[in-house]
Amino acid sequence: MSALLFIGGVLFMVVAVGLSIALHEIGHLVPAKLFKLRVPQYMIGFGKTLVSFKRGETQYGIKALPLGGYISMVGMYPPREQVASEKPGKKPNLFQKVFGQMVDDARSQANENVLPSDEGRLFYQLPIYKRIIIMLGGPIMNLIIGFVVITIVLTSFGQATPTTTVAEVYQCIASAQNANQTECTDEDVTAPAYEAGLLPGDTITAVNGAAVAQAEWNKLTDVIRDHPGEPITLDYVRDGQSHSTELTPYLTERPATDENGYVLLDEQGEYIMTKVGFVGMGSLQQDLTQPLSAVPGVIGDQLLKIGDVILHLPQRMVDVAQAAFGSEERDPNGPVSIVGVGRIAGEISAEGSISVADKFATLLSLVGGLNLALFAFNLIPLLPLDGGHVVGALYEGHKRMVARIFKIKKIKPVDTVKLLPLTYVVVVAMLVMGGLLIYADIFKPIQLF
């Protein structure tokens, strides 16, 4: 049964990834057609075409390697005669000859499907804003998918949230700070929560007379952390009966956290410690449904974390390599390949301690997070990613604005195909990173359980 559940989780993610890619390309396709741009192909995957059909001007199909997708648009690059040519009398060197031929071949291949009837509706002839809308359509579609899926999870299934119900009470400060210490000694300081008589299952309802809701554990702990050595009053409910107690938080060093309760790390990845009040009790986490107003904040937090991974991608890949070929453990918040995502989905599906509802919610969260990652990654301003095309369009818009200011009449289109050498470097880097991640996800996967 576990094997079947594992396979089911993998298949669920394969279908979800396929749909995400298909919808990403539709995000490009729809505005392209609205702007009358001819789109000869809409393909999911690469390599040999397995199945296809034609509707109107476009051939739709699925290819053998499900590693992405694309739409082909006529006139992506301007013809050679419409771009700046080389200076007369200047003899090209070997590098210029090799890459010049590559550029010419790419330009010819991109324009081989151009028909006389396409004049005026080629990609490079479109207004700048239309080109930007077409190229941003794919990432925006992924953002919409992520928003919708995460909204469903938060409002229907809930989010694991620390509550004001007490899950554990430590007898002494030493045992609370050291998970390996199971017994207290006479020299250990008694934990304030234990001394105040709190027990697991108690639900705290107020601190210093101010009411706290079930999901306001952080509000409670903020008061505790900010009042070391000062008596505070807690109201709580036990077995339906209301009680009140007083305790004095113990001054100690604890990891600093942000406004959302996440532990802060320094540049070396070590905990940032701060002196705060501490009482020695833990929160019971429960899945609590969230209001619609909470969705933007959750998505914003996820995008910030994804952005941090992208900004530090070289170092992250070094960490993955060290883990893959060494003894280090994989960072659970680090990058993974599609193989890793499928494996995580399979392990979640096969885990017996998780309810069916929680499994489904977690799988949906993976799909939402994956689409947010696709959104952010495609905005990287490098070709062949969508962000690279957007930067090319913005640069041309800047040139045209300058030309209007200085009344320059003839402006040649920005020839992004000349960036082909850099594009090849980016593609090779992506292939290397993808290969490393797949290897690591097979032989040194992230451990969830």
Side-chain angles (χ1 to χ4, degrees):
M1 179 60 76
S2 294
L4 290 176
L5 289 173
F6 183 91
I7 294 172
V10 173
L11 291 177
F12 176 90
M13 194 54 59
V14 168
V15 172
V17 169
L19 287 174
S20 298
I21 293 171
L23 291 171
H24 173 98
E25 298 307 325
I26 287 177
H28 293 306
L29 179 70
V30 170
K33 286 185 170 290
L34 286 175
F35 297 144
K36 309 302 181 183
L37 180 66
R38 187 162 66 87
V39 182
Q41 286 189 318
Y42 167 94
M43 291 290 168
I44 304 303
F46 299 100
K48 183 179 178 181
T49 301
L50 300 179
V51 60
S52 68
F53 62 91
K54 191 169 184 179
R55 291 289 184 273
E57 297 177 324
T58 306
Q59 179 188 18
Y60 301 84
I62 298 176
K63 291 181 174 287
L65 298 175
L67 301 177
Y70 67 92
I71 65 170
S72 60
M73 297 177 285
V74 294
M76 285 294 293
Y77 309 119
R80 185 178 179 86
E81 60 269 17
Q82 293 195 31
V83 297
S85 57
E86 295 177 358
K87 295 180 180 179
K90 184 177 180 181
K91 188 175 181 181
N93 55 37
L94 180 60
F95 178 86
Q96 291 171 326
K97 286 182 178 180
V98 172
F99 284 102
Q101 185 62 48
M102 291 171 60
V103 167
D104 288 342
D105 290 344
R107 193 192 312 279
S108 298
Q109 184 178 5
N111 292 321
E112 65 182 2
N113 293 323
V114 175
L115 304 174
S117 59
D118 292 326
E119 184 61 32
R121 55 187 294 215
L122 301 172
F123 182 81
Y124 78 88
Q125 294 175 331
L126 292 177
I128 302 298
Y129 78 92
K130 290 186 177 181
R131 281 186 257 172
I132 293 175
I133 290 174
I134 290 172
M135 299 317 301
L136 287 181
I140 293 298
M141 179 64 78
N142 290 125
L143 179 62
I144 292 172
I145 296 170
F147 188 92
V148 171
V149 172
I150 291 173
T151 297
I152 292 172
V153 172
L154 292 178
T155 59
S156 300
F157 295 92
Q159 181 183 36
T161 306
T163 68
T164 54
T165 297
V166 179
E168 52 191 350
V169 177
Y170 297 98
Q171 184 176 351
C172 57
I173 296 295
S175 63
Q177 295 177 330
N178 184 0
N180 295 322
Q181 181 173 334
T182 58
E183 295 183 0
C184 297
T185 66
D186 294 337
E187 298 179 356
D188 294 327
V189 178
T190 303
Y194 180 84
E195 191 173 35
L198 291 173
L199 297 175
D202 293 345
T203 298
I204 297 170
T205 58
V207 54
N208 282 343
V212 288
Q214 186 182 24
E216 292 184 326
W217 172 259
N218 289 338
K219 180 179 178 180
L220 166 64
T221 55
D222 285 345
V223 175
I224 293 173
R225 294 167 70 92
D226 293 342
H227 293 80
E230 301 177 22
I232 62 175
T233 301
L234 297 181
D235 298 333
Y236 63 95
V237 174
R238 177 187 299 168
D239 298 329
Q241 300 295 318
S242 297
H243 303 272
S244 181
T245 188
E246 186 178 274
L247 50 75
T248 301
Y250 181 82
L251 179 62
T252 185
E253 279 197 337
R254 302 294 294 171
T257 58
D258 62 16
E259 59 183 9
N260 296 310
Y262 295 109
V263 174
L264 297 176
L265 303 176
D266 60 20
E267 294 180 355
Q268 288 72 41
E270 301 293 333
Y271 290 130
I272 298 176
M273 304 301 292
T274 182
K275 290 186 176 182
V276 295
F278 181 71
V279 298
M281 65 180 179
S283 167
L284 177 67
Q285 295 226 357
Q286 294 179 335
D287 289 333
L288 300 179
T289 56
Q290 305 293 316
L292 194 60
S293 59
V295 176
V298 172
I299 291 178
D301 288 340
Q302 290 197 32
L303 287 174
L304 286 175
K305 292 178 182 178
I306 293 169
D308 181 71
V309 171
I310 292 174
L311 287 174
H312 300 91
L313 194 55
Q315 180 57 50
R316 296 280 188 163
M317 295 308 300
V318 170
D319 295 340
V320 170
Q322 291 175 341
F325 302 105
S327 58
E328 293 86 351
E329 292 295 326
R330 289 280 300 277
D331 180 1
N333 297 315
V336 295
S337 69
I338 188 62
V339 172
V341 172
R343 185 165 188 161
I344 290 171
E347 290 182 358
I348 291 171
S349 298
E351 177 59 35
S353 62
I354 303 177
S355 68
V356 174
D358 285 345
K359 288 180 182 180
F360 187 60
T362 305
L363 292 177
L364 285 179
S365 295
L366 277 176
V367 175
L370 174 67
N371 276 276
L372 294 183
L374 289 173
F375 162 74
F377 186 76
N378 274 285
L379 292 183
I380 295 176
L382 293 172
L383 292 171
L385 299 172
D386 298 328
H389 291 285
V390 171
V391 169
L394 290 173
Y395 176 61
E396 183 170 327
H398 172 73
K399 283 183 61 178
R400 293 185 182 280
M401 181 180 67
V402 172
R404 284 195 297 270
I405 293 173
F406 293 97
K407 299 182 179 179
I408 302 173
K409 294 183 178 180
K410 194 171 182 180
I411 294 294
K412 295 183 180 295
V414 170
D415 194 16
T416 54
V417 75
K418 289 185 177 180
L419 295 174
L420 194 63
L422 175 61
T423 302
Y424 284 150
V425 171
V426 175
V427 170
V428 170
M430 290 170 61
L431 290 174
V432 170
M433 288 190 296
L436 174 59
L437 287 173
I438 290 173
Y439 177 89
D441 289 333
I442 294 174
F443 298 102
K444 196 68 175 290
I446 293 174
Q447 299 297 323
L448 296 180
F449 306 106

